[in-house]
Amino acid sequence: MVGLGVAVLCWWVSCGATAAGQLEYSVLEETEPGVPVGNIASDLKLSAAALSSRNFRFLSSYSESYFGVDLGSGSLVVREPADREQLCPAKAACILTYELMFDDPLELYKMRVHLLDTNDNSPLFPAGDVHLHIPEFLTPGARFTLPSAQDADEGSNGVLSYSLSSSQHFRLDMGSRVDGSKYPELVLEKVLDREQRNTHLLVLTAQDGGLPARSGDAQVTITVVDTNDNVPAFEHSVYSTKVPETAPNGTVLFHVQASDPDEGSNGDVWYSLSNSTPEELRHLFDIHPKSGEVRVAASLGPPETLLEAYVEARDKGAFSLASTTKLLVQVTDVNDHVPQMYFVTFSSPVPEDAAPGTVIALLSVKDEDLGSNGKVTCSMSSKGPFRLKASFDCYYKLLTDGPLDREQVNEYQVLITASDGGSPPLSTRRTLIVSVADVNDNTPSFPQPQQELSVAENNSPGVSLGRVFAQDPDLGENGLVFYELLDAIPFSSFVSVEPTSGVITARTSFDFEQLRGLHFQVEGRDGGIPPRSATVTVNLFVVDKNDNAPYILYPLPRNGSIPVERVPRSAGAGHLITKVVAEDADSGHNAWLSYHISQASDSSLFRISFFSTDAVKQRVVVVVQDHGEPPLSSSVTLGVLLSNSTPQVLLDFEDIWEPRAQLSARNLYLVIALACISVLFLGCLLYFVCIKLSQSPDCCSQNCCHSPENVRHERTMSSAPWVTSTTIDVTKVERLSQTYLYQTSLGLSSGSNSLLLLGKYNTAHLRNLATGVGLNLPISCAQIRNRKGDHTNVNVMIDCVRLCVCVCARVCARARERACMHKSAWLCLQDAGIKCLSGMWLLLIENRDPQIGKKEAVNLKESKEYHMEDLGGSKGKG
């Protein structure tokens, strides 16, 4: 037995070769669990680790797991003992088929395991003990059929030999049938004598050819009878036929007939299934005892099965004789099974960038029928880029056969039909829904490469200017577009873009006069990996609004006074007096200007000739108006002097205009403030003069005004913390007239000791104005600082103490020159106070109307020396 096991094991190894994707192994039936059959990994030229890494699967269609694969070693081992006779009862060769499948990449192998027979079954007589009735008158040589034993083993293990127990009357012989099969026969060796012995007991032994051999016994009981010497004889020793597997019960298979020449009951033949018929087949057939008609009694079983039964014909004699015949029934296949379709793997959705040849599904087809009835072919019906490729045996692959585009078609219906080769053929249909998964293969697109937006100037920050929008046909994050301002550093202070909606908002208020438009780019980027992006150029135009009044370039008032043009009295209609030039910073209709005369002293003068009776001074107000909505305007006042010669002193145009307005609340406060300051000033001045006079009787002399004590007192007062300064604003305008004007402010500042004078003066007139009010300002009293652009700031720092001291010195000097020394100190003080109040009064006039009162200071400075009466002379302003 050990030597036989080694020989069989060597044969297993020789059978475990891989050929055309198929493995074959052999193993003895009833092998104990855990015994290795072969190594699948080595036979497939793979490592044992590859089984786990490639997701190895062991596919079996059997209910019991007879074999398994050890993933650690790659060996095929026995899981459960297999009984060949149970698995393959009617087949000479017992082969178990399995499928081996690997993923990544997908591979499929077929494995066949030959289940080898072992001598594990003893011969068995289906009919049990045998009873024979042998008439005594039979001569030696008579033969009697004995039942055949059955052995489920295969090959030599199933080959039977028979033996009979010793007897002087009988011997055992083997008979042959037409098909060559052997069966035991009992041969009469010696004539029987019922009177000597009427019953003979023999033992029939059947032994197989296995190692060790197995045997089975049947007891043969022979009863010796007399009479009936003819045995019924069949027309055929073997009856054969083919019947479809779906043959219904009652189908007639055979009509067997046997003849017996005896008469009477000895010749009356009855039919029945012989004891030689296997027990499991007895219920399949039904035989009529008189007619010998054999019918189907039950389902004949699977197709391609050969059924073997025996029919016995026995007469009705007192000592009945019988003979047997064989029935061979071959069950043929019928196309009664619809092909079955199974999907081993199915991948959906499929990425739209999947390369052609990508495996979508692996399917297997199976048909229980045999032959052409079980041969299945698959076909595909689909409008999509797919194809069906046959693998080996009954497996098919569904592959992509072209590019996929989810934006064109996002889902396909693939109809797969499996048809067998029967007549008529049977088929199965399955529909696969193949979805196409989105990938980021589309770039966001804007409707146009450029987009125009507009915004009216003076807008509020944060107002929406418009929106940019890009389309992306992808799904999810791949189609979600985010917006971003490119080159954000130069443009982020003007506009911003909302990342998700693309809304463009203004971050500042636009001024058309400073910025006419912007050109920037917005990028639309999707959320795919990697992201895709596109840009759009946005042209933002600022729309003009009428927010600038016309600006008059010429003529401009000089020194804060009305521009004066001289016109000869002999001038006729159409005489050009002057030209008003203006500009508007707006554009379009907002900058179209029209000129109108709104007011004039005598409007008829500017349409007809002048007459000698007309007034010498005329005043004209020219209004410049634009065409905006609403319109804005500016005006300029012109003075016209009707004279044939140039006067030495320009006439005053202030008194010919409309009556002055009443004193406003602001001017009222200013008058009250001036009165208080004047009282304080006169008190301080009187105090200082009294102290000075008490120290020296020579108060008005030049030495008194410039004594060291006065200088020290002057410095002390200048550095006092309550002494503040006032700034003179100087504006430089360079227009058509090329005149340099200075916007000055001399008046009450935040401190209580500063003077404020409003008006427009040049440098010379500023000094003349100061001199006209009796203020001889030294250079150190004014500071000039530049202003950004075309303007210049002149800061004139004047403190009341220094002003008082300077005025006092000036008064004393004038009084001495004009014999002021002969006057009393009160007159000197009165002279200085009058001069100071005169300057304050000019300040009040300037505050009420910036255009008048400028000439007052100029007229006061006609000569370097003037008397105190001059301050109250002209027009009663003193």
Side-chain angles (χ1 to χ4, degrees):
M1 288 299 295
V2 175
L4 179 61
V6 173
V8 172
L9 183 60
C10 294
W11 186 64
W12 293 348
V13 176
S14 65
C15 294
T18 303
Q22 179 170 301
L23 300 178
E24 291 192 7
Y25 298 95
S26 298
V27 64
L28 292 174
E29 66 171 332
E30 303 294 340
T31 301
E32 296 295 326
V35 176
V37 178
N39 194 292
I40 291 177
S42 61
D43 292 340
L44 294 177
K45 296 180 176 55
L46 298 173
S47 63
L51 299 181
S52 298
S53 62
R54 294 183 58 186
N55 193 15
F56 170 78
R57 282 189 280 176
F58 186 80
L59 305 180
S60 172
S61 60
Y62 301 98
S63 60
E64 302 292 336
S65 56
Y66 298 105
F67 301 95
V69 178
D70 186 3
L71 298 180
S73 61
S75 298
L76 178 68
V77 297
V78 177
R79 297 292 189 197
E80 185 177 345
D83 188 358
R84 188 196 69 82
E85 287 75 21
Q86 182 180 359
L87 295 175
C88 309
K91 296 181 180 179
C94 186
I95 300 175
L96 304 182
T97 304
Y98 298 90
E99 283 81 25
L100 309 177
M101 191 176 76
F102 293 85
D103 292 338
D104 192 26
L106 181 64
E107 290 184 348
L108 196 64
Y109 297 92
K110 189 171 184 179
M111 184 184 73
R112 301 176 62 186
V113 179
H114 294 262
L115 200 59
L116 303 179
D117 182 61
T118 59
N119 192 21
D120 57 342
N121 291 281
S122 299
L124 179 66
F125 291 90
D129 295 340
V130 180
H131 296 272
L132 296 177
H133 296 272
I134 300 175
E136 62 177 352
F137 59 86
L138 291 180
T139 61
R143 293 176 176 269
F144 304 93
T145 302
L146 296 177
S148 298
Q150 293 181 359
D151 195 333
D153 294 329
E154 178 188 5
S156 61
N157 295 329
V159 176
L160 302 179
S161 61
Y162 296 89
S163 61
L164 189 66
S165 60
S166 61
S167 175
Q168 61 179 349
H169 293 281
F170 300 94
R171 67 176 178 86
L172 186 65
D173 196 5
M174 300 301 296
S176 298
R177 299 185 180 93
V178 178
D179 58 351
S181 61
K182 301 290 185 178
Y183 62 93
E185 287 185 334
L186 185 64
V187 180
L188 183 61
E189 286 283 318
K190 184 179 179 180
V191 176
L192 297 176
D193 187 1
R194 190 189 64 81
E195 289 74 17
Q196 291 182 2
R197 188 176 181 180
N198 60 355
T199 301
H200 296 268
L201 298 177
L202 302 176
V203 176
L204 177 63
T205 302
Q207 183 175 352
D208 60 25
L211 291 176
R214 290 176 176 267
S215 62
D217 298 332
Q219 185 174 347
V220 180
T221 302
I222 300 173
T223 302
V224 180
V225 295
D226 198 13
T227 68
N228 200 9
D229 55 349
N230 291 296
V231 178
F234 285 97
E235 293 180 348
H236 306 283
S237 61
V238 177
Y239 290 86
S240 63
T241 186
K242 292 183 178 180
V243 61
E245 60 175 332
T246 57
N249 295 341
T251 301
V252 177
L253 298 179
F254 305 100
H255 280 88
V256 297
Q257 188 174 4
S259 61
D260 191 346
D262 293 337
E263 295 181 354
S265 60
N266 294 329
D268 190 8
V269 179
W270 293 79
Y271 302 96
S272 65
L273 287 176
S274 171
N275 293 332
S276 299
T277 302
E279 185 65 28
E280 63 270 14
L281 298 182
R282 286 179 174 273
H283 70 284
L284 299 180
F285 305 102
D286 186 14
I287 185 169
H288 195 276
K290 287 295 290 179
S291 65
E293 188 178 73
V294 180
R295 295 175 179 271
V296 176
S299 178
L300 299 180
E304 301 300 325
T305 301
L306 183 62
L307 304 179
E308 184 175 341
Y310 299 93
V311 177
E312 179 183 75
R314 184 177 295 275
D315 59 18
K316 291 294 185 179
F319 305 98
S320 63
L321 299 177
S323 64
T324 60
T325 185
K326 179 186 289 188
L327 302 179
L328 294 178
V329 179
Q330 184 175 4
V331 182
T332 60
D333 181 65
V334 177
N335 191 23
D336 59 342
H337 292 87
V338 177
Q340 301 296 320
M341 190 183 307
Y342 305 96
F343 287 92
V344 181
T345 60
F346 176 53
S347 300
S348 181
V350 181
E352 60 178 322
D353 59 350
T358 301
V359 178
I360 299 176
L362 175 66
L363 58 99
S364 66
V365 290
K366 185 178 181 181
D367 198 320
E368 298 293 339
D369 298 322
L370 301 176
S372 60
N373 295 333
K375 186 177 181 180
V376 183
T377 57
C378 289
S379 61
M380 182 193 69
S381 175
S382 173
K383 296 182 180 180
F386 306 103
R387 63 186 176 94
L388 200 62
K389 180 181 179 182
S391 186
F392 58 89
D393 288 346
C394 52
Y395 286 89
Y396 288 84
K397 295 178 181 178
L398 180 62
L399 311 172
T400 58
D401 196 30
L404 301 173
D405 190 352
R406 188 204 63 80
E407 287 71 35
Q408 298 294 330
V409 181
N410 61 356
E411 186 178 89
Y412 294 91
Q413 292 187 354
V414 181
L415 177 62
I416 299 177
T417 304
S419 302
D420 58 23
S423 181
L426 300 178
S427 61
T428 300
R429 294 184 177 183
R430 291 286 300 274
T431 300
L432 289 181
I433 305 298
V434 180
S435 300
V436 182
D438 182 64
V439 298
N440 192 23
D441 58 344
N442 289 279
T443 301
S445 61
F446 290 93
Q448 294 180 354
Q450 292 189 355
Q451 186 171 346
E452 293 184 356
L453 302 176
S454 62
V455 57
E457 66 172 331
N458 304 324
N459 60 287
S460 299
V463 69
S464 175
L465 305 179
R467 180 190 179 196
V468 294
F469 177 73
Q471 292 182 338
D472 194 325
D474 293 326
L475 292 179
E477 294 292 335
N478 297 332
L480 186 60
V481 181
F482 298 92
Y483 304 93
E484 183 181 0
L485 182 66
L486 294 182
D487 298 332
I489 295 178
F491 301 108
S492 60
S493 60
F494 296 100
V495 295
S496 64
V497 180
E498 208 284 324
T500 57
S501 63
V503 175
I504 301 176
T505 57
R507 302 191 65 178
T508 184
S509 179
F510 292 95
D511 189 354
F512 177 80
E513 288 70 38
Q514 295 183 2
L515 182 65
R516 300 295 178 93
L518 288 176
H519 304 280
F520 57 90
Q521 286 187 327
V522 177
E523 180 187 51
R525 182 178 66 256
D526 59 28
I529 299 177
R532 293 173 174 264
S533 61
T535 59
V536 61
T537 300
V538 180
N539 298 321
L540 177 61
F541 298 99
V542 180
V543 180
D544 181 53
K545 294 178 67 176
N546 191 26
D547 59 342
N548 289 278
Y551 180 78
I552 298 177
L553 303 176
Y554 183 83
L556 290 176
R558 297 186 179 182
N559 302 328
S561 62
I562 298 175
V564 179
E565 298 292 340
R566 187 177 63 84
V567 179
R569 287 187 174 273
S570 60
H575 179 79
L576 178 62
I577 299 176
T578 185
K579 185 176 182 180
V580 178
V581 180
E583 67 176 8
D584 196 318
D586 297 322
S587 64
H589 288 79
N590 298 329
W592 293 359
L593 304 180
S594 60
Y595 299 80
H596 311 278
I597 297 177
S598 64
Q599 297 180 10
S601 300
D602 189 353
S603 59
S604 62
L605 294 180
F606 303 98
R607 292 191 298 271
I608 60 176
S609 302
F610 296 113
F611 297 97
S612 59
T613 60
D614 295 329
V616 177
K617 296 184 292 182
Q618 297 291 335
R619 187 169 181 175
V620 180
V621 177
V622 179
V623 177
V624 183
Q625 179 176 306
D626 58 26
H627 287 71
E629 289 293 338
L632 300 178
S633 62
S634 298
S635 63
V636 60
T637 302
L638 300 177
V640 179
L641 179 63
L642 302 180
S643 174
N644 290 325
S645 62
T646 302
Q648 293 182 356
V649 178
L650 293 177
L651 298 177
D652 186 10
F653 283 83
E654 302 297 333
D655 58 343
I656 67 172
W657 200 240
E658 65 275 2
R660 291 176 175 85
Q662 298 297 326
L663 190 64
S664 63
R666 176 184 174 187
N667 292 335
L668 179 61
Y669 297 150
L670 183 58
V671 169
I672 297 174
L674 289 177
C676 296
I677 294 174
S678 300
V679 172
L680 180 62
F681 166 74
L682 292 177
C684 294
L685 185 60
L686 181 60
Y687 174 75
F688 294 142
V689 170
C690 292
I691 293 176
K692 191 65 177 178
L693 291 177
S694 64
Q695 294 177 355
S696 174
D698 229 348
C699 64
C700 293
S701 64
Q702 187 173 0
N703 295 331
C704 174
C705 293
H706 299 280
S707 64
E709 291 79 2
N710 289 341
V711 174
R712 285 194 302 272
H713 182 71
E714 178 181 352
R715 291 179 179 177
T716 303
M717 297 301 294
S718 299
S719 60
W722 51 270
V723 178
T724 57
S725 61
T726 301
T727 301
I728 298 177
D729 233 358
V730 179
T731 303
K732 175 183 178 183
V733 181
E734 296 183 8
R735 293 293 183 177
L736 298 177
S737 62
Q738 300 296 327
T739 302
Y740 294 85
L741 301 178
Y742 295 84
Q743 181 72 33
T744 63
S745 298
L746 282 174
L748 293 173
S749 66
S750 59
S752 61
N753 301 289
S754 299
L755 298 179
L756 177 63
L757 185 59
L758 302 176
K760 294 184 179 180
Y761 305 96
N762 57 22
T763 305
H765 289 171
L766 181 63
R767 296 185 180 275
N768 294 337
L769 179 60
T771 306
V773 297
L775 305 179
N776 190 8
L777 300 179
I779 298 301
S780 61
C781 294
Q783 297 178 359
I784 299 178
R785 294 181 297 184
N786 291 333
R787 177 190 289 175
K788 293 183 179 179
D790 297 335
H791 302 285
T792 305
N793 293 331
V794 178
N795 298 327
V796 179
M797 312 302 294
I798 305 174
D799 61 81
C800 292
V801 176
R802 176 173 292 185
L803 180 61
C804 294
V805 173
C806 292
V807 170
C808 181
R810 184 64 176 171
V811 168
C812 293
R814 290 293 186 184
R816 187 187 58 191
E817 292 176 0
R818 302 182 60 182
C820 182
M821 295 297 295
H822 303 286
K823 296 181 180 181
S824 65
W826 170 254
L827 293 179
C828 293
L829 180 60
Q830 181 182 7
D831 189 9
I834 291 175
K835 289 181 178 290
C836 185
L837 289 177
S838 177
M840 293 182 183
W841 182 255
L842 290 179
L843 173 62
L844 176 61
I845 296 174
E846 180 67 19
N847 185 57
R848 291 182 59 192
D849 192 347
Q851 300 296 331
I852 63 175
K854 302 303 182 187
K855 289 185 179 294
E856 301 300 330
V858 177
N859 294 335
L860 292 176
K861 191 64 175 67
E862 290 298 331
S863 61
K864 291 186 178 179
E865 301 200 5
Y866 52 91
H867 301 285
M868 184 172 58
E869 293 80 2
D870 294 337
L871 292 173
S874 177
K875 307 297 182 181
K877 286 189 172 50

